[in-house]
Amino acid sequence: MKPSPVDSSNQDDVKRPTFLLIEDDAVDAEAFRHAVKRNQVDCELVHASDGGEALEKLRNMVDENDDIGVLAFLDLNMPGLNGHEFLAEVRRDESLKRLAVFVVTTSRHKRDIALAYDKNVAGYFEKDDLASVLEIARQFAGRLVFPTLGGKSD
């Protein structure tokens, strides 16, 4: 039996996700980029070196298109605005509070894990297995109904 053709009528409605990598270490950022390519993740990859730069990029993205699908990948230990401070600011900001965030860090401290989940992260992963993190993210992004950013809920 021949498989039926895929209904492509909704393909225009499917958003290509934006992955926002918030990572201060250039080697880790490059490893993430390579893992995205190796795992054939169809996304736009945007990099920010700290939480402050990430907030600026997010706000610009929302200003340009409040229907953008963004998954953030957040390192916790960064100079400037660190990961926990970034999460606190995002959750306070009406236009960003629904952002889906995965923590990707070297920290195994129970306090870091608890603080991250207290700020409603979508997952907490260790950096030592980026391929698995991106496989999960690829599947997640392919099925995720992205929240509306920009403060609109209709």
Side-chain angles (χ1 to χ4, degrees):
M1 176 178 240
K2 194 174 182 182
S4 61
V6 175
D7 177 10
S8 61
S9 61
N10 288 351
Q11 284 186 336
D12 291 338
D13 295 339
V14 176
K15 293 186 234 178
R16 183 173 180 241
T18 297
F19 283 8
L20 174 61
L21 174 62
I22 309 160
E23 172 61 66
D24 65 310
D25 186 281
V27 173
D28 287 344
E30 191 59 28
F32 191 92
R33 276 190 191 90
H34 284 295
V36 165
K37 283 184 180 179
R38 259 192 329 271
N39 285 279
Q40 300 176 343
V41 180
D42 183 24
C43 68
E44 178 182 349
L45 183 58
V46 176
H47 176 239
S49 297
D50 65 36
E53 182 183 354
L55 285 170
E56 183 179 326
K57 288 184 178 194
L58 275 169
R59 288 176 176 139
N60 287 337
M61 284 183 222
V62 168
D63 286 346
E64 292 173 15
N65 178 6
D66 65 8
D67 196 31
I68 190 169
V70 180
L71 287 179
F73 296 85
L74 175 67
D75 184 22
L76 294 180
N77 303 312
M78 297 178 290
L81 192 69
N82 71 35
H84 290 300
E85 294 164 336
F86 169 83
L87 281 170
E89 181 61 29
V90 162
R91 297 305 182 226
R92 274 193 300 268
D93 187 318
E94 283 297 312
S95 67
L96 302 175
K97 68 182 181 183
R98 296 183 194 103
L99 177 70
V101 179
F102 288 111
V103 171
V104 182
T105 187
T106 56
S107 175
R108 294 180 179 179
H109 297 294
K110 289 181 180 180
R111 182 176 181 275
D112 281 338
I113 295 166
L115 286 172
Y117 279 111
D118 285 348
K119 297 290 188 240
N120 301 316
V121 297
Y124 191 103
F125 302 96
E126 294 176 22
K127 285 184 182 178
D128 60 357
D129 191 6
L130 283 179
S132 293
V133 171
L134 284 168
E135 176 58 25
I136 291 166
R138 184 177 64 78
Q139 291 179 17
F140 188 82
R143 291 167 177 78
L144 178 67
V145 176
F146 286 94
T148 301
L149 298 179
K152 298 176 186 170
S153 59
D154 48 77

